[in-house]
Amino acid sequence: MNMEVDLIFKIAAVGIIVTILNQVLVRSGREEQATMTTLAGLVVVLMILSQRIADLFELVKTLFQF
């Protein structure tokens, strides 16, 4: 249970940081960099989740003995 909470906090922290950076960049007139920052945040979150999804598939594989 503790690992799931940590995962949620990690994703939330990335979201907060990306949001703050995005707002700072938009207000300074750098919309392109703000978009790239948002995409980079999305990639980071997907990388975090990809390991969990791989673990889920491995669990299902062992559960059904494929």
Side-chain angles (χ1 to χ4, degrees), residues 6-59:
D6 289 342
L7 181 66
I8 292 171
F9 283 142
K10 285 180 187 178
I11 293 171
V14 170
I16 291 169
I17 291 169
V18 167
T19 302
I20 291 170
L21 286 174
N22 191 9
Q23 290 298 317
V24 168
L25 289 170
V26 166
R27 292 191 191 269
S28 67
R30 297 181 177 175
E31 286 82 15
E32 294 86 12
Q33 286 88 359
T35 303
M36 289 299 174
T37 303
T38 304
L39 289 174
L42 179 64
V43 168
V44 168
V45 170
L46 289 176
M47 296 273 293
I48 292 171
L49 289 178
S50 67
Q51 181 60 40
R52 292 307 218 165
I53 292 171
D55 292 343
L56 175 65
F57 284 140
E58 189 65 32
L59 178 66

